[in-house]
Amino acid sequence: MTTAAVALPSTVSNGLSRGWVETLQFLRDRTAVIFTFAFPAMLLLLFGTIFGDSYDDTGVSASQVYSASMIAYGILSTAFVTMGSGVALDREDGTLKRLHGTPITPTAYVMGKLILVLILSVAEAAILILVGILIFDMPVPDAAHWLTFAWLFLLSTFACTACGIAVSAIVKHARTAGAILNVPVVALQFISGVFIHPITQLPSWLITVASLFPVKWMSQGFRYVFLPDSMKQYEAASQWELGRTALVLGAWCVIGLVLCLVTFRWTEKDR
Amino acid sequence: MDAIEVRGLRKTYKGHEAVRGIDLTVTRGEVFALLGPNGAGKTTTVEILEGHRRRTDGVARVLGEDPGTAGRAWRARIGVVLQDTDDAADLTVTEMVRHVASLYPGPRPAAEVLDLVGLTDKHKSKIRALSGGQRRRLDVALGIVGRPELLFLDEPTTGFDPAARRQFWDLIRALAAEGTTILLTTHYLEEAEALADRLAVLAGGLIVAEGTPATLGGRADAGAKVAWRENGMLREEQVADPTDLIRQLVKAETDLSTLTVTRPTLEDIYLNLIGAGR
């Protein structure tokens, strides 16, 4: 036979094909769709309604601060949790084993996941931003701030996805994935200025710990995008620190990718 | 070049030897069956040859390459039919076949594959709505959509009803007729007898016999048992060739209305072999 004469499909086209079926499967699971999107929006509505006070003389309300910070939570929960449990589920139901029997590359598989996560995160961020703007009068940023939003969003999503895939290697069963993955997620929310802001209320060693992880930089960055410049006085360094944010998130993208490549296994027990 | 060549293959899991040094040759275009009880090492062997498991020792060549290190181009030439899968439940049959097809160079059209496995009228169904047998046929469809030169089938008909099993056999024969080499594991003897050109019996991680369904384990030379009733008494004789004995009985005008001639079934041979292998 001369099958070798026909070129193998490219990793990009395989990756797009994966992205298509990943998205199709996600959208058909109505429960997952509703909970993924509604939960962060519900939390924002609750927090925004309960804590309506203003930050002294800045004229910015706590609900507006939540609207900005919660985008970090939205990305973290869709990218990190969806990925971590999604890969564990793929390992358990035979998806990975099936793919391993085909000429697909691991990169194409990860690309498919990334496409799904990007679609989910865009939708998630859009819902949170709309709630912030329509219900809590969060100001609409100008073009320069949207540009920052774009790179911040991409770096955040990629870092969280890569870490999610890496963590899936230690998640043995899809059943326990939610419980395991929510530990770092919830802990980081509390110490990273998402649920509790100003972050300066925390003991300084806890701020140092939070600064090692991406969430603190994500929520700080989104506050830069959506809040007036005067709000920077409530940040840990009284600065927006955009350069450092880019560096930390970039580093986490690299760490996540390396962990991903080192720990990724097609099958449960590699051998 | 042979499709599969294995010499001295071993696999050890934490001190337990699942495969204890086997030799195996499967030639191109052949349907080869690996028979054996549960835990004999069939699945381990097949998974090593598919490149899903690492071997501990020995030489393995599959389509001329080492399955432990072979790349994408090699994967495009083999087809794997999995057992016990549960994936893609929310996709339709056609969506999944098209998706897997898109991963291969020059795949078969989805409609052709579904026709081959008899799932044409289910092409719009969600995979979760398929019956067990339909699900297995989909697994076969996904295994052959890339036009493999070599197809691995690990216990493909477990849980099939007899009619579905016959249909499945026809499908395997059709694939074999197209020139696909097939390595099949099964613990159904009549399946091996119906499909395989050659077969090997695996017991306790070793190959205890190899041959054709007609000759395996000395079946061809095992002789026959001739039995009849004479004056109300059961008479039985074990002979190498029953022709002479029956001729004598005819000559003696014995009443042959109860005559039976039995040769050992594949099952007799098999049970004998795996008993000996333990």
Side-chain angles (χ1 to χ4, degrees), chain A residues 95-173:
Chain A
T95 301
L96 285 180
K97 199 172 183 194
R98 159 127 33 237
L99 291 175
H100 191 33
T102 73
I104 198 173
T105 57
T107 313
Y109 169 74
V110 172
M111 229 181 96
K113 288 283 181 208
L114 205 54
I115 290 171
L116 171 67
V117 165
L118 272 176
I119 291 172
L120 296 185
S121 302
V122 166
E124 183 77 81
I127 289 171
L128 292 170
I129 292 168
L130 278 178
V131 170
I133 290 174
L134 298 179
I135 297 176
F136 299 125
D137 296 319
M138 186 173 71
V140 181
D142 61 20
H145 282 74
W146 278 121
L147 193 67
T148 306
F149 177 83
W151 65 253
L152 188 63
F153 177 84
L154 288 175
L155 281 180
S156 303
T157 308
F158 188 81
C160 293
T161 306
C163 291
I165 295 174
V167 167
S168 80
I170 58 164
V171 176
K172 288 277 183 293
H173 304 287

Side-chain angles (χ1 to χ4, degrees), chain B residues 238-252:
Chain B
Q238 186 71 36
V239 289
D241 183 341
T243 318
D244 284 342
L245 176 61
I246 292 172
R247 197 174 281 143
Q248 284 166 26
L249 292 172
V250 170
K251 209 174 269 173

Side-chain angles (χ1 to χ4, degrees), chain A residues 1 3 6-9 14 17-18 21 24-25 28 93 95 97-103 105 270-271, chain B residues 47 51-54 72 75-76 82 85-88 90-91 95 99 102-105 126 135 139 142 149:
Chain A
M1 288 195 203
T3 26
V6 185
L8 286 161
N14 280 355
S17 183
R18 282 305 303 161
V21 292
L24 213 53
Q25 290 183 86
R28 287 194 182 147
D93 71 11
T95 301
K97 199 172 183 194
R98 159 127 33 237
L99 291 175
H100 191 33
T102 73
T105 57
D270 204 57
R271 14 248 211 146
Chain B
E47 289 190 345
H52 283 180
R53 247 175 230 274
R54 299 207 183 97
R72 293 181 70 201
R75 292 217 171 272
L82 300 174
T85 51
D86 197 18
D87 58 328
D90 286 312
L91 295 181
E95 282 165 352
H99 169 58
S102 77
L103 308 176
Y104 286 92
K126 289 273 174 66
R135 168 88 231 199
D139 285 334
L142 299 174
E149 294 166 46

Side-chain angles (χ1 to χ4, degrees), chain B:
Chain B
M1 182 185 51
D2 289 319
I4 298 176
E5 259 187 280
V6 170
R7 295 290 168 265
L9 187 74
R10 283 176 190 278
K11 176 69 189 180
T12 311
Y13 300 108
K14 290 182 186 143
H16 162 69
E17 268 202 307
V19 177
R20 301 194 289 158
I22 65 173
D23 296 344
L24 205 64
T25 304
V26 178
T27 57
R28 292 262 180 171
E30 187 172 55
V31 179
F32 191 95
L34 215 46
L35 272 168
N38 291 330
K42 300 192 297 286
T43 298
T44 300
T45 303
V46 170
E47 289 190 345
I48 289 170
L49 299 178
E50 290 166 351
H52 283 180
R53 247 175 230 274
R54 299 207 183 97
R55 60 184 186 271
T56 312
D57 198 14
V59 180
R61 309 289 288 173
V62 175
L63 298 178
E65 294 194 48
D66 179 343
T69 56
R72 293 181 70 201
W74 177 81
R75 292 217 171 272
R77 295 165 63 205
I78 65 164
V80 175
V81 176
L82 300 174
Q83 48 170 338
D84 302 327
T85 51
D86 197 18
D87 58 328
D90 286 312
L91 295 181
T92 69
V93 168
T94 300
E95 282 165 352
M96 185 58 177
V97 174
R98 287 218 176 112
H99 169 58
V100 174
S102 77
L103 308 176
Y104 286 92
R108 290 178 209 265
E112 182 192 316
V113 175
L114 291 179
D115 186 45
L116 264 172
V117 301
L119 277 180
T120 303
D121 54 342
K122 288 279 170 192
H123 74 284
K124 280 185 177 163
S125 300
K126 289 273 174 66
I127 293 176
R128 73 163 75 253
L130 298 181
S131 72
Q134 288 164 345
R135 168 88 231 199
R136 298 295 297 147
R137 279 188 273 161
L138 174 64
D139 285 334
V140 176
L142 299 174
I144 63 173
V145 72
R147 296 184 203 276
E149 294 166 46
L150 168 63
L151 183 65
F152 293 99
L153 289 155
D154 196 4
E155 294 179 8
T157 61
T158 304
F160 276 30
D161 63 46
R165 178 166 296 139
R166 302 274 155 178
Q167 267 179 18
F168 186 83
W169 291 355
D170 289 341
L171 167 62
I172 301 305
R173 289 189 187 111
L175 290 170
E178 283 181 18
T180 312
T181 309
I182 295 171
L183 179 66
L184 166 89
T185 74
T186 182
H187 43 226
Y188 295 112
L189 292 143
E190 77 274 26
E191 185 157 288
E193 190 158 25
L195 295 176
D197 299 315
R198 284 194 313 126
L199 48 88
V201 176
L202 208 55
L206 288 170
I207 288 184
V208 292
E210 199 180 333
T212 68
T215 62
L216 186 86
R219 190 180 175 196
D221 321 310
K225 191 175 74 180
V226 180
W228 70 98
R229 274 184 185 281
E230 204 171 317
N231 308 325
M233 296 271 288
L234 181 66
R235 297 275 312 270
E236 267 186 18
E237 283 203 45
Q238 186 71 36
V239 289
D241 183 341
T243 318
D244 284 342
L245 176 61
I246 292 172
R247 197 174 281 143
Q248 284 166 26
L249 292 172
V250 170
K251 209 174 269 173
E253 295 188 350
T254 317
D255 172 15
L256 291 183
S257 61
T258 60
L259 177 81
T260 58
V261 180
T262 20
R263 298 182 35 75
T265 62
L266 190 57
E267 185 162 341
D268 296 331
I269 300 283
Y270 171 76
L271 289 174
N272 196 16
L273 282 169
I274 62 170
R278 277 190 182 141

